[in-house]
Amino acid sequence: MYGIIDSKLFNILLFNTTLGVVRTIREKINEVSVEEVIELNNKLSLSTIYLSRKNINKAEFYAQKAYKSGRKGKHYGYLYGSILYSLGKSNESLKIFDKTYKKFPEEIDINSIRIYMYLLADLNYLERCRDLIEINSAKGNYFENYGTFASQIYERLGDLEQSIYYAYLEFLFQKQNRTITEDEFLNNLNKLETAIKTHISSHDKF
């Protein structure tokens, strides 16, 4: 997998869950009954508590209950799908992401779209993953190792120009953050070139 959720992303998920509780009360109160708000709030709160304790299985249990709490619960599909992904339940996670993105594409945040792209790549839906990369890039979103990830996807799709472009973007990003030198970038680019030539050569045999 491209990334079972690391500690940094785990903390972001925890924050998003807490934010979800607040959004439920502040934004949805006029659209649903008080009882529905309290029920959804309780489930999300329990999911938050278990996430903070890193008890992912119980966090999943209550995130699922929140997700299934009527039509307003569907807004929390990104959270529920992310938790499923952290448990290695990729196929289940993708189904939730697909349904949620179809209904609420405007609500996806940078961390959720990151996991969504990882899922599509893990399950070999490369064209769909590329489409998300293009949407994400158009929004100007960039996360750690995004360029490297995108470069690998384009390489697998045989788009060498875009592969090199994203490898260069990653270099610029890391150079700005002083985590890579020009020599290291050129070395990585040479490795990419060798891999591409090997790929082309192996296909030319057929």
Side-chain angles (χ1 to χ4, degrees):
M1 295 176 71
Y2 276 94
I4 287 290
I5 298 176
D6 56 28
S7 58
K8 185 186 296 183
L9 192 54
F10 181 90
N11 290 331
I12 293 168
L13 274 176
L14 175 59
F15 171 77
N16 285 348
T17 311
T18 307
L19 181 62
V21 174
V22 175
R23 284 183 59 205
T24 302
I25 297 172
R26 295 183 63 183
E27 297 179 14
K28 309 300 179 185
I29 190 71
N30 294 324
E31 301 176 27
V32 294
S33 69
V34 173
E35 290 78 11
E36 286 177 303
V37 171
I38 292 172
E39 180 187 5
L40 182 54
N41 178 46
N42 287 339
K43 291 167 183 174
L44 286 167
S45 296
L46 285 168
S47 186
T48 302
I49 291 168
Y50 286 116
L51 269 176
S52 67
R53 294 175 179 170
K54 298 192 176 182
N55 188 331
I56 306 297
N57 288 298
K58 284 193 175 181
E60 177 206 358
F61 177 77
Y62 286 105
Q64 181 189 55
K65 281 186 169 292
Y67 174 72
K68 292 183 176 180
S69 295
R71 58 191 179 89
K72 292 305 173 187
K74 302 305 180 187
H75 288 268
Y76 300 96
Y78 294 124
L79 171 68
Y80 178 39
S82 297
I83 293 174
L84 287 172
Y85 180 68
S86 75
L87 290 167
K89 299 179 180 181
S90 296
N91 288 299
E92 294 177 55
S93 177
L94 182 58
K95 288 178 182 178
I96 299 299
F97 266 96
D98 283 344
K99 290 179 181 178
T100 308
Y101 189 70
K102 185 176 181 179
K103 289 186 176 181
F104 313 112
E106 73 286 350
E107 292 187 10
I108 194 166
D109 59 79
I110 187 171
N111 302 298
S112 297
I113 202 169
R114 171 185 177 183
I115 295 171
Y116 198 8
M117 286 189 287
Y118 286 171
L119 271 169
L120 292 169
D122 287 341
L123 297 174
N124 212 36
Y125 293 108
L126 300 183
E127 289 81 6
R128 291 179 59 197
C129 183
R130 176 199 58 205
D131 293 343
L132 274 185
I133 289 171
E134 292 176 358
I135 291 170
N136 187 63
S137 296
K139 291 181 178 179
N141 292 333
Y142 205 98
F143 52 78
E144 188 175 358
N145 296 320
Y146 175 60
T148 300
F149 169 77
S151 177
Q152 291 171 352
I153 297 302
Y154 280 106
E155 179 191 345
R156 290 169 66 184
L157 286 168
D159 190 336
L160 308 186
E161 182 177 343
Q162 285 294 93
S163 179
I164 293 172
Y165 168 74
Y166 276 100
Y168 182 65
L169 278 187
E170 184 66 25
F171 161 66
L172 293 178
F173 176 78
Q174 293 193 26
K175 184 179 180 183
Q176 183 179 3
N177 290 278
R178 299 180 181 178
T179 58
I180 191 172
T181 66
E182 291 186 20
D183 287 341
E184 288 172 326
F185 169 71
L186 290 174
N187 183 47
N188 290 340
L189 198 59
N190 287 334
K191 289 180 180 178
L192 175 62
E193 180 184 11
T194 300
I196 291 170
K197 287 180 178 178
T198 301
H199 177 79
I200 293 173
S201 177
S202 64
H203 281 70
D204 284 345
K205 294 177 181 179
F206 296 98

